[in-house]
Amino acid sequence: MDKLTAAKVLLDVAQTESFTATADRLDISRPMVTRHVEAVENWLGARLLQRTTRKVSLTNTGEQMLPDLQRWVEQAQQIEESLMPTQAIQGFVRVSVSMSFGFSELMPALTIFRQQYPGIRLDIDAQDRAVDMVSERIDLAIRTTNDPNPALIGRPFAVCHSKLVASKAYLDAQAAITHPADLEQHACLGYKNFGRHIWQLTKGEQKHQVEVNCDITANEATVLLHGSLSGLGISMQPTYLADSKIANGELEWILPDWQLNTLQMYLLYPSRKHLSHPVRALIDFLVNHFEQQQSLG
């Protein structure tokens, strides 16, 4: 049995604390997971995992040996990857991403990725909520936040800029907006996940914070975008969604002299210690691809 593969399986079990969860994540049978774990334990001459009916945990010996095993796997993977042509890398990656970023930015990027890595299969899970990456078998999550989950490894890859937008029909029927304070008198569309709807704007040395009235909220940017297109009010949109609508006249940019706070975009994954070849390839590709764009907007 391949020692490297067996070690990767054991490390995954140590993370998921479940033979069944690892079998699902790695798309292998549960008996095969058991065989891989037993192979590593026989190879090292020590029991590394304590099995119970409810949970799998590391033994004392397992806790002591796990860091060395992780380093060995990581070094072996790096050697393999340095010698392996991209066309030869095969595997499966499950990605969690927001619907808005998924269709507007990720899918176009994946057309290039697939040309370089035709052997990597991808499953896209489009949603804006936080996910349990282990239980939901997510290999990589793409999130826009300035406060990433500290329990995950976060690799920044782009900066997201935003704009306030509304339809011409809405703006023609309302009082003019010349200052951020005017927003308090307008119908605004807010992100459900943000709690209080406070928009912060900057113009040179001037800073203004305004709490806006949001009678309509949603947990997804494209829903709010179409709300603004329908004349329901003002929404804060990432430039990768807003710019094309502004350019073709469907939406107008409100307070263009004022800047909204930028947000960092992260690639999040549970551990850097034993990433699979396909996951590592996708991470490196996305970082390089979006570095060439510098920022989103």
Side-chain angles (χ1 to χ4, degrees):
M1 181 174 288
D2 176 26
K3 290 182 178 180
L4 180 58
T5 299
K8 290 178 182 178
V9 172
L10 185 142
L11 290 173
D12 196 89
V13 174
Q15 181 184 21
T16 64
E17 300 181 339
S18 167
F19 280 60
T20 300
T22 287
D24 290 340
R25 273 168 51 88
L26 302 182
D27 195 24
I28 58 177
S29 68
R30 191 184 184 286
M32 183 58 70
V33 172
T34 301
R35 288 180 58 193
H36 282 305
V37 170
E38 290 176 347
V40 176
E41 290 179 328
N42 291 335
W43 167 38
L44 296 177
R47 192 171 183 82
L48 305 181
L49 295 176
Q50 181 66 45
R51 293 85 150 166
T52 68
T53 56
R54 294 185 177 182
K55 186 179 180 181
V56 177
S57 59
L58 288 167
T59 63
N60 289 335
T61 302
E63 290 181 353
Q64 293 172 2
M65 300 187 73
L66 193 69
D68 290 334
L69 195 61
Q70 288 175 328
R71 281 191 291 271
W72 178 76
V73 168
E74 185 174 13
Q75 290 169 357
Q77 286 191 166
Q78 289 174 350
I79 293 172
E80 278 190 350
E81 289 167 6
S82 68
L83 300 174
M84 184 183 299
T86 60
Q87 300 286 323
I89 297 178
Q90 297 186 353
F92 178 80
V93 183
R94 191 161 192 245
V95 182
S96 174
V97 65
S98 69
M99 185 181 297
S100 61
F101 189 82
F103 81 77
S104 65
E105 299 293 326
L106 179 61
M107 299 310 285
L110 291 182
T111 61
I112 304 171
F113 177 78
R114 285 283 297 161
Q115 293 171 6
Q116 298 178 17
Y117 298 92
I120 297 179
R121 295 176 294 116
L122 298 158
D123 178 60
I124 311 300
D125 185 54
Q127 54 184 305
D128 273 359
R129 68 175 178 84
V131 296
D132 184 327
M133 297 187 67
V134 173
S135 66
E136 298 188 41
R137 295 184 291 159
I138 301 295
D139 299 299
L140 184 66
I142 300 174
R143 290 291 178 261
T144 305
T145 178
N146 285 336
D147 187 26
N149 185 342
L152 300 172
I153 305 300
R155 187 167 176 181
F157 72 97
V159 175
C160 181
H161 298 271
S162 299
K163 293 178 179 178
L164 297 179
V165 295
S167 68
K168 186 177 187 302
Y170 171 84
L171 294 173
D172 287 346
Q174 305 295 328
I177 304 173
T178 59
H179 187 273
D182 297 333
L183 294 169
E184 296 177 3
Q185 308 305 317
H186 282 262
C188 296
L189 313 178
Y191 288 96
K192 181 179 181 180
N193 297 337
F194 282 9
R196 292 176 64 195
H197 303 288
I198 299 175
W199 292 351
Q200 299 180 15
L201 298 97
T202 303
K203 180 182 179 182
E205 297 299 319
Q206 301 179 62
K207 294 185 178 181
H208 195 88
Q209 179 174 287
V210 54
E211 184 166 6
V212 295
N213 175 41
C214 295
D215 287 338
I216 297 178
T217 60
N219 67 341
E220 207 282 316
T222 55
V223 173
L224 300 179
L225 177 71
H226 285 274
S228 289
L229 288 168
S230 299
L232 289 173
I234 301 166
S235 66
M236 181 190 301
Q237 293 292 328
T239 53
Y240 59 76
L241 289 182
D243 282 352
S244 62
K245 303 299 183 183
I246 295 170
N248 66 21
E250 292 183 84
L251 292 174
E252 294 193 10
W253 183 7
I254 298 167
L255 300 172
D257 293 335
W258 290 80
Q259 304 300 313
L260 293 162
N261 287 350
T262 59
L263 291 172
Q264 184 68 61
M265 298 205 67
Y266 284 91
L267 301 171
L268 301 175
Y269 43 100
S271 172
R272 65 165 57 94
K273 294 299 183 182
H274 47 99
L275 289 173
S276 68
H277 293 321
V279 174
R280 192 185 299 274
L282 181 57
I283 290 171
D284 291 341
F285 169 82
L286 291 175
V287 169
N288 292 333
H289 178 80
F290 287 104
E291 274 182 354
Q292 294 175 13
Q293 297 187 23
Q294 297 299 315
S295 63
L296 299 173

